[in-house]
Amino acid sequence: SMVELQIAEISKTHWNGDVYEPSDDTFLLVDVLQQHAKAWINKWPFCCVELGSGSGYVITSLALLLRQLAGPSFGHPAVHRRTCQLLAVDHSLAAVEATRNTLQAHKVTEVDVLATSLLGPLVDRLRGSVDIMIFNPPYVPTPDEEVERSGIASAWAGGYRGRRVIDRVLPLLPELLSPRGELFMVTVTENDPTGIIEEMLGFGFLGRIAATRQADEETLQILHLWRQPAGLDAGAAATGQERM
């Protein structure tokens, strides 16, 4: 059945001059989540985290997608246990408030929203348990000193190659993600997404560019990374062959 899965509505989404407005990158990320969602029916996520939730449009969309997948139209025998712990974090108090307002406007109550820089104290609590991580990082190449600026600039200023914040998060993936864990992250071409995929092979991850879109002066990608299944080596995994 081609059930069209609902996502958040812009008319119910909150932001202001201090909060990143849903833009091409936001919509591309949600498109990919929407396209990928049916894969979660058989690989149910119990813990999802969004880093840098901004307006809350993405985490609200994810919560709505999961709510629909857990519903009767997908015919689960085990509906009762199909719940998911959802967590959104942002270092900006304005963004935390916007995310909470957006969730409330959509009547979504199953997301906790916390003000913290990246994951801060949560790394220990979440270790090995994150099934889905979503990240629309500050990816715009800027002078490094821009990265430390406060206010809305911190939502986009990415420093050298736009990689300063991205490169703080990638090393956390091996310890944070569960065995079935996956990351969906926005990049631009300057961030070298294919290079990121190659680097992460060394940490036991496989990856793909799940979508590409031209937006104004930049080309956006959604990078999808997931743990290499046990029993595959990198070469075999790349060709899809089981190791003999």
Side-chain angles (χ1 to χ4, degrees):
S1 63
M2 288 307 296
V3 184
E4 180 60 28
L5 293 171
Q6 298 304 303
I7 53 173
E9 296 171 47
I10 282 295
S11 61
K12 294 181 182 174
T13 300
H14 291 250
W15 69 88
N16 56 44
D18 295 321
V19 177
Y20 190 71
E21 177 179 343
S23 303
D24 290 323
D25 50 359
T26 320
F27 301 131
L28 187 58
L29 181 53
V30 169
D31 279 355
V32 167
L33 296 176
Q34 197 176 16
Q35 287 159 21
H36 189 75
K38 306 239 169 95
W40 297 324
I41 295 174
N42 300 313
K43 197 174 87 163
W44 190 257
F46 294 101
C47 174
C48 303
V49 176
E50 182 177 20
L51 292 183
S53 58
S55 68
Y57 181 85
V58 181
I59 195 71
T60 302
S61 293
L62 180 61
L64 292 170
L65 288 171
L66 290 170
R67 185 188 283 181
Q68 292 160 89
L69 291 173
S73 47
F74 289 94
H76 296 304
V79 167
H80 60 277
R81 59 175 198 86
R82 298 226 156 212
T83 57
C84 182
Q85 179 191 5
L86 292 125
L87 179 63
V89 302
D90 204 297
H91 69 100
S92 154
L93 291 174
V96 165
E97 187 185 5
T99 295
R100 286 184 176 142
N101 288 337
T102 295
L103 288 162
Q104 198 176 354
H106 289 85
K107 299 186 167 55
V108 171
T109 54
E110 56 267 40
V111 179
D112 291 316
V113 191
L114 294 176
T116 174
S117 173
L118 291 181
L119 288 167
L122 294 168
V123 173
D124 277 343
R125 208 181 84 198
L126 291 170
R127 182 163 282 132
S129 67
V130 180
D131 296 319
I132 299 173
M133 185 179 287
I134 319 169
F135 189 28
N136 184 358
Y139 53 67
V140 177
T142 63
D144 275 345
E145 56 270 21
E146 298 275 308
V147 177
E148 301 309 320
R149 276 177 54 193
S150 57
I152 190 67
S154 66
W156 51 262
Y160 177 65
R161 295 199 303 158
R163 285 279 293 268
R164 286 295 184 236
V165 180
I166 290 173
D167 285 345
R168 284 166 63 195
V169 170
L170 294 175
L172 296 174
L173 296 181
E175 53 179 322
L176 284 174
L177 293 190
S178 72
R180 66 171 80 175
E182 52 190 339
L183 168 77
F184 295 88
M185 180 174 78
V186 179
T187 63
V188 288
T189 305
E190 291 85 345
N191 304 151
D192 187 17
T194 51
I196 291 174
I197 292 173
E198 283 168 32
E199 285 170 43
M200 294 305 290
L201 266 176
F203 294 95
F205 283 82
L206 300 175
R208 67 182 179 122
I209 308 287
T212 306
R213 186 174 293 172
Q214 193 61 40
D216 299 329
E217 276 84 70
E218 56 199 13
T219 305
L220 299 163
Q221 299 86 19
I222 305 300
L223 183 57
H224 180 202
L225 294 171
W226 63 94
R227 281 196 195 273
Q228 209 164 284
L232 285 180
D233 62 40
T239 59
Q241 301 297 310
E242 291 281 1
R243 184 168 56 193
M244 298 310 286

